[in-house]
Amino acid sequence: DARIVATTNADLDARVRDGRFRLDLLYRLKVVPVRLPPLRERRDDIPLLAQHFLERAGREDGAAPRGLSREALALLVQHDWPGNVRELENVIARAAVICRRGPVEREHLLWEECCPPPGALRGGGPAASVLGGLEAGASLWEVERAWILATLEQEGGNRTRAARRLGVSVRTVRNKLREYEAGGGGVARLAA
């Protein structure tokens, strides 16, 4: 006894007509079809999903931010989400790594270079400089490192101001710099 739940973003009826999908398999799978619209068509779900992913990140590492600022939430709601719910989940996971205390702010939201939110990367802000140096699929450690180093550079190496902008303690910034120095990458001048 088994029950199969299958998902696809392909038009299976069109594939059957084109001879690229078996009709008998379609009849077996299409017992109770459920169409779930893409995230951009159900923007009211975005705040709830974002909060869920933020809370899950908190359970996983014990240091997730407490919530989302109004500006960050507005940016999430206006984004078109070409990567759908998985893209939202990844954006929130990155924000949870970057923002260790306080609510997630606009500057904590990092999108993939292929699909930035409207206006978020224009003007050469910190997100543009950080994302410009990372390849798709960068680890969270690499994203965190790039974000902290870019913030430090913007603050002229001042750890106190950088820590304040990042929402972490100066001690955290110092410890992260030591960690990055141990891992290489030429951060010695900022760690001094």
Side-chain angles (χ1 to χ4, degrees):
D1 292 337
R3 179 173 295 181
I4 297 173
V5 178
T7 64
T8 183
N9 60 1
D11 182 349
L12 294 183
D13 292 315
R15 291 203 176 186
V16 167
R17 285 191 301 275
D18 296 344
R20 295 184 297 152
F21 197 82
R22 291 179 28 194
L23 182 60
D24 63 319
L25 180 56
L26 178 65
Y27 287 143
R28 289 195 180 271
L29 292 175
K30 201 172 179 182
V31 176
V32 181
V34 177
R35 181 186 180 277
L36 185 61
L39 196 53
R40 68 182 162 275
E41 292 178 18
R42 47 192 178 99
R43 295 185 189 274
D44 291 345
D45 291 350
I46 292 172
L48 295 172
L49 287 168
Q51 188 61 42
H52 166 74
F53 293 138
L54 200 54
E55 288 170 4
R56 186 167 69 191
R59 286 191 301 271
E60 289 174 1
D61 70 10
R66 290 187 294 267
L68 294 145
S69 72
R70 287 183 188 187
E71 187 178 19
L73 191 55
L75 193 61
L76 291 174
V77 171
Q78 78 182 48
H79 186 55
D80 282 336
W81 301 107
N84 224 335
V85 175
R86 284 192 183 99
E87 181 188 0
L88 173 62
E89 183 177 10
N90 290 342
V91 166
I92 296 298
R94 282 191 290 270
V97 168
I98 294 165
C99 177
R100 305 309 268 173
R101 275 189 276 168
V104 169
E105 300 289 344
R106 178 188 183 111
E107 61 266 16
H108 300 129
L109 300 175
L110 300 177
W111 271 262
E112 298 295 329
E113 287 182 313
C114 65
C115 47
L121 301 183
R122 292 187 186 101
S129 62
V130 171
L131 288 178
L134 294 176
E135 304 228 350
S139 70
L140 288 176
W141 185 89
E142 292 168 314
V143 171
E144 177 189 68
R145 178 184 181 275
W147 191 260
I148 289 173
L149 293 178
T151 304
L152 266 169
E153 189 170 313
Q154 285 186 344
E155 294 297 339
N158 185 306
R159 293 182 195 169
T160 303
R161 287 195 313 258
R164 191 175 307 122
R165 279 186 58 194
L166 291 166
V168 299
S169 69
V170 176
R171 182 178 183 176
T172 297
V173 171
R174 186 184 67 233
N175 291 340
K176 289 294 181 181
L177 289 173
R178 283 189 191 135
E179 177 184 327
Y180 303 149
E181 196 171 63
V187 297
R189 84 183 153 80
L190 289 174

